[in-house]
Amino acid sequence: MTTVNQPPRIAVTGSAGNIGYALIFRIASGQMTGGRPVILHLLEIEPMRKVLDAVAMELEDCAFPTLADCVLATDPKPGFRDIDIALLVGSKPRGKGMERKDLLQSNGEIFRTQGRALNENASRDVKVLVVGNPANTNALIASANAPDLDARQFTCMTRLDHNRGVAMLAQRLGCAPADIRKMIIWGNHSSTQFPDPLHCEAGGRPVKADMEWIKETFVPSVQQRGARIIEARGASSAASAASAVIDHIRSWMDGTPPGDWTSAGVAADGSYGVKPGVMFSYPATAANGDWRIVQDLELNDFERSMIAATDKELREERAAIENLLP
Ligand code: NAX
């Protein structure tokens, strides 16, 4: 296990991929750790080994004073040894003619293997963020296959969706993103997610709800933003996803600011009528390295129906991978 004086060990799977390439240089330069040194564990699959070697060469060439060491691995067992933070980004893209349930199965198997490897090899305090899609269900699988780790150590990423919501609302109101507080992404990181601006404040004042704009423009725009990027760029979001990974981990480690929360996919605990058994994105605060779901928000019928729809999809995903849960 890493001791207090040693740099944290941060593992990134899919290090040679699109998001990996946008992420690891930022981590190596200290942006995830507030300028403190880090040890990177870069994981890939064997066919990508040469590309991974090239990424490692580029890292060397940056001569970052904050990069204390770099470990390369294609096997998660040695790759996850003593790690403090696991960023599970790598997964398979949806192939031609592949059904969503086939993708759930084949990616689920990756996360079962990685959950077991984390259970056996990672630091007992490891913090896990699943980015690879379907992120919520992959996080559920990894957590379920790591019985010696607490389910609270596993999260999935909806921070990119959260940031997209903040940016769009700020644009609509003509203010800066930093003026917006209390955005919420509920549910699955998929097109059923519910970006909810109904509790937002701008410059410390509640934002007046324009239900028509929220229903017709805001919600579908946030839900479809990833697809729009793919359409325009010919590849999925990478730099903004990497930025959201940094934001999620910094919130988790450093805590969320007073008077605000963020969105994070955590194990459902019955809050807001979502029964345990899925990883669900909630409004959440972080303190002392632990997430807490924001309680007692008043929800209207529209919010309740949107939350129920995304919950339903997560139950269906769970049913499709039940065989991967011990
Ligand atoms: P890429 O296909 O560019 O990279 C994925 C990398 O993962 C590849 O290099 C691949 O070799 C590697 N990989 C596959 N299986 C692995 C394994 N078992 N161990 C280690 N590495 C493995 O995809 P990229 O654009 O980087 O996206 C990565 C994942 O993030 C995708 O599943 C994508 O859908 C998901 N996203 C999730 C987001 C979120 O907000 N949760 C937003 C961005 C992104 O769409």
Side-chain angles (χ1 to χ4, degrees):
M1 202 207 293
T2 306
T3 63
V4 178
N5 297 322
Q6 273 181 334
R9 294 179 177 273
I10 303 180
V12 182
T13 68
S15 277
N18 199 26
I19 296 173
Y21 196 68
L23 175 63
I24 58 182
F25 294 86
R26 292 190 60 181
I27 301 174
S29 67
Q31 291 181 45
M32 186 172 269
T33 45
R36 282 200 305 136
V38 293
I39 298 174
L40 272 175
H41 287 223
L42 305 183
L43 283 90
E44 258 296 343
I45 48 172
E46 197 49 48
M48 290 297 279
R49 179 71 206 210
K50 256 181 95 170
V51 185
L52 184 64
D53 287 342
V55 171
M57 283 192 269
E58 282 204 72
L59 271 175
E60 273 175 35
D61 297 348
C62 293
F64 288 121
T66 39
L67 184 57
D69 197 5
C70 186
V71 175
L72 306 188
T74 53
D75 178 346
K77 287 182 190 134
F80 287 161
R81 191 151 300 140
D82 295 334
I83 57 164
D84 301 291
I85 295 176
L87 307 173
L88 306 184
V89 179
S91 64
K92 286 186 205 158
R94 192 160 168 168
K96 221 176 166 187
M98 208 173 178
E99 299 279 336
R100 189 172 163 84
K101 71 175 186 331
D102 302 330
L103 185 74
L104 278 161
Q105 259 312 307
S106 69
N107 277 325
E109 281 162 26
I110 294 176
F111 289 83
R112 175 169 62 178
T113 305
Q114 292 179 351
R116 288 173 176 168
L118 287 166
N119 196 52
E120 284 159 27
N121 299 283
S123 153
R124 295 303 81 191
D125 302 322
V126 67
K127 292 180 163 47
V128 184
L129 171 62
V130 175
V131 176
N133 277 321
N136 299 52
T137 297
N138 289 340
L140 175 74
I141 295 168
S143 173
N145 284 284
D148 301 333
L149 301 174
D150 197 307
R152 300 180 73 83
Q153 292 171 253
F154 287 80
T155 60
C156 67
M157 191 168 90
T158 52
R159 186 60 170 267
L160 176 55
D161 309 298
H162 179 99
N163 289 347
R164 286 167 172 163
V166 166
M168 279 183 208
L169 184 62
Q171 220 166 51
R172 166 84 176 176
L173 300 176
C175 65
D179 295 331
I180 303 288
R181 290 181 166 199
K182 301 186 177 175
M183 178 60 66
I184 308 175
I185 304 295
W186 299 97
N188 200 0
H189 169 70
S190 76
S191 57
T192 69
Q193 67 175 258
F194 172 35
D196 181 357
L198 285 165
H199 306 268
C200 281
E201 295 169 2
R205 291 212 187 89
V207 173
K208 210 166 154 269
D210 175 348
M211 285 313 290
E212 196 190 328
W213 177 76
I214 290 170
K215 286 182 183 173
E216 305 302 323
T217 307
F218 179 79
V219 169
S221 301
V222 178
Q223 288 173 332
Q224 299 301 327
R225 184 69 166 185
R228 278 198 54 206
I229 304 242
I230 294 177
E231 210 177 276
R233 199 173 100 87
S236 63
S237 323
S240 54
S243 205
V245 172
I246 307 248
D247 290 345
H248 179 104
I249 297 293
R250 290 213 68 167
S251 293
W252 199 350
M253 308 287 289
D254 302 345
T256 42
D260 200 5
W261 59 62
T262 186
S263 303
V266 298
D269 65 351
S271 299
Y272 300 99
V274 180
K275 294 195 189 85
V278 295
M279 295 292 275
F280 201 85
S281 178
Y282 279 110
T285 55
N288 305 317
D290 200 17
W291 290 105
R292 208 167 277 276
I293 298 166
V294 174
Q295 298 295 324
D296 300 327
L297 295 176
E298 265 186 46
L299 305 181
N300 65 23
D301 288 347
F302 170 64
E303 290 173 288
R304 273 195 287 272
S305 72
M306 294 295 282
I307 289 170
T310 191
D311 185 21
K312 179 169 178 278
E313 182 184 51
L314 280 168
R315 306 281 156 190
E316 287 162 8
E317 287 190 9
R318 185 190 161 109
I321 54 80
E322 203 75 55
N323 60 315
L324 299 175
L325 304 175

